[in-house]
Amino acid sequence: MTSPRVYLAGPDVFLPQPTAFAARKKALCSAYGFEGVFPLDAEIDGQGISKHELALRISRANEALIRSCQLLIAHVTPFRGPSCDVGTAYEMGFARALGLRVFAYSNVADDFTARSSRSAGARPRADGSLEDRDQMQIETFGLADNLMLIGAVEDSGGKLVAISAGKDQLYTQLAAFEACLAEARRMGGVPQLG
Amino acid sequence: MTSPRVYLAGPDVFLPQPTAFAARKKALCSAYGFEGVFPLDAEIDGQGISKHELALRISRANEALIRSCQLLIAHVTPFRGPSCDVGTAYEMGFARALGLRVFAYSNVADDFTARSSRSAGARPRADGSLEDRDQMQIETFGLADNLMLIGAVEDSGGKLVAISAGKDQLYTQLAAFEACLAEARRMGGVPQLG
């Protein structure tokens, strides 16, 4: 029997040594009975093409890899702001529309309202809701990030795990990632793609 | 003949008067021969349910609205950081996987590398690439945002338009949005959903 394939979405591709980090994640996937699929797995020949064309080829390759998977584990540690990396959010939506089971993990455990308020300011509106310094409302649902991301996880049958890491391990701690794998194995099986 | 339906993704739902803003966008859609569909169009009864359950119902309603559309125009003005709102990015991925034609507009015209560098610091790595103060690489493809978002727009046959707005109109200027509608009309037709 082949192992279910798990797409490893996240800003991990931006780490100084992404391939070594991917190997650590893939080894954990194997230990839990899954095959980890990392964005950089696609071999892309960048010779003789523009940077723009290279970017498009990477995008296409990542989408093809997601299509080859049954699950996705998104690394949603806040990235350059109170929310996760937008490429990761995009891939969660892409996977959700295809029917994959979507998990997520974060190495920051405080909730989204607190993070948004710290980052963008927070003041009460007349109706009691909160807004930031650009007068944009701050979500106060008590979730880990924007409600679309959380909906994808919960409605696909996945789970979000958040375990705070020290600053030196903000993007590299794998405790919450491993907890997602344990949950995925405990659930058994994978969703039927429709 | 019914007008093609365009899902209006964006952080517009967080504006102080989202329904009035939606009406402006919908009127422009009509003028270009489209029917605008706004996230808040779904009537959701929040009585007697938890905030968590309400969030999930909003997420489901938005996904159902996207499924009912043939095009999506994403408002990708940077939101609480150098990238767009993650809910919007999620919806772009969701729409792309379903085969919708994806457009995007931004009211900030400088490129992503410059914005990320300003927001998160930038220093050269030994290999000549750029990294931020968390040692995470900064994309230097000369794009408007993360390459997954740009890939969705270009490969679906859509277009991204960026026209800088003054601070007081950062989230409300509609010149670039209208340019997307003009492009969509010029293209004629809508993609066949597979």
Side-chain angles (χ1 to χ4, degrees):
Chain A
M1 207 179 104
T2 58
S3 303
R5 286 166 62 85
V6 184
Y7 185 83
L8 304 172
D12 314 340
V13 294
F14 304 126
L15 286 168
Q17 307 291 342
T19 311
F21 188 71
R24 286 177 59 201
K25 279 192 151 178
K26 288 180 176 195
L28 281 170
C29 287
S30 295
Y32 284 86
F34 297 100
E35 180 182 356
V37 175
F38 198 71
L40 301 177
D41 286 355
E43 300 271 346
I44 296 170
D45 184 2
Q47 293 296 320
I49 58 172
S50 67
K51 285 198 297 184
H52 191 94
E53 179 58 26
L54 176 59
L56 292 182
R57 289 194 193 176
I58 294 169
S59 146
R60 285 173 207 141
N62 290 350
E63 291 188 356
L65 288 174
I66 296 171
R67 288 184 189 278
S68 78
C69 291
Q70 291 79 46
L71 303 95
L72 179 146
I73 301 180
H75 179 183
V76 297
T77 297
F79 187 74
R80 296 176 192 158
S83 281
C84 74
D85 164 52
V86 291
T88 304
Y90 175 90
E91 293 182 336
M92 292 174 77
F94 193 86
R96 174 66 183 138
L98 296 174
L100 275 66
R101 186 170 285 163
V102 178
F103 293 79
Y105 77 95
S106 178
N107 293 338
V108 171
D110 19 321
D111 91 356
F112 184 41
T113 304
R115 296 197 313 267
S116 299
S117 300
R118 272 201 305 274
S119 148
R123 55 192 178 203
R125 285 179 176 168
D127 65 4
S129 63
L130 276 186
E131 68 177 18
D132 69 15
R133 65 175 73 92
D134 287 323
Q135 294 187 274
M136 300 297 271
Q137 188 170 4
I138 294 175
E139 286 187 31
T140 52
F141 291 105
L143 301 175
D145 207 322
N146 179 283
L147 64 83
M148 297 305 297
L149 311 188
I150 308 308
V153 170
E154 298 202 10
D155 284 341
S156 70
K159 180 147 181 175
L160 185 145
V161 181
I163 301 175
S164 288
K167 193 165 164 34
D168 60 327
Q169 286 209 82
L170 183 61
Y171 292 108
T172 54
Q173 176 178 279
L174 290 175
F177 172 70
E178 188 167 355
C180 285
L181 287 170
E183 281 292 333
R185 182 174 65 180
R186 193 184 59 73
M187 288 172 182
V190 293
Q192 292 297 313
L193 303 187
Chain B
M1 207 181 101
T2 58
S3 303
R5 287 165 61 84
V6 184
Y7 185 82
L8 304 171
D12 314 339
V13 293
F14 304 125
L15 286 167
Q17 307 291 344
T19 310
F21 187 72
R24 285 178 59 203
K25 278 192 151 178
K26 288 179 178 195
L28 281 170
C29 288
S30 294
Y32 284 86
F34 297 100
E35 181 184 355
V37 175
F38 198 72
L40 301 177
D41 287 354
E43 301 271 348
I44 295 171
D45 183 3
Q47 294 296 317
I49 58 171
S50 67
K51 283 198 298 185
H52 190 94
E53 179 58 26
L54 176 59
L56 293 181
R57 288 194 194 178
I58 295 170
S59 145
R60 284 174 207 141
N62 290 350
E63 291 188 357
L65 288 174
I66 296 171
R67 288 183 188 279
S68 78
C69 291
Q70 291 78 45
L71 302 94
L72 179 145
I73 300 180
H75 178 183
V76 298
T77 296
F79 186 74
R80 297 178 190 154
S83 281
C84 75
D85 164 51
V86 291
T88 304
Y90 176 90
E91 292 181 337
M92 292 173 76
F94 193 86
R96 173 65 182 139
L98 296 174
L100 276 68
R101 187 170 284 165
V102 178
F103 292 79
Y105 77 94
S106 178
N107 293 339
V108 172
D110 18 320
D111 91 356
F112 185 41
T113 304
R115 297 199 312 270
S116 299
S117 300
R118 271 201 305 276
S119 149
R123 55 188 176 204
R125 285 180 175 167
D127 65 2
S129 63
L130 276 185
E131 68 176 17
D132 69 14
R133 66 175 72 91
D134 287 322
Q135 294 186 273
M136 299 297 271
Q137 187 170 5
I138 294 175
E139 285 187 31
T140 53
F141 291 105
L143 301 174
D145 206 323
N146 179 284
L147 64 84
M148 296 306 297
L149 310 187
I150 309 309
V153 169
E154 298 202 9
D155 284 340
S156 71
K159 181 147 182 174
L160 185 145
V161 181
I163 301 175
S164 288
K167 194 166 164 36
D168 60 325
Q169 286 209 82
L170 182 60
Y171 292 108
T172 54
Q173 178 178 278
L174 289 175
F177 172 71
E178 188 167 357
C180 285
L181 287 168
E183 280 291 332
R185 182 173 65 181
R186 193 184 57 74
M187 287 172 185
V190 292
Q192 292 299 313
L193 302 188

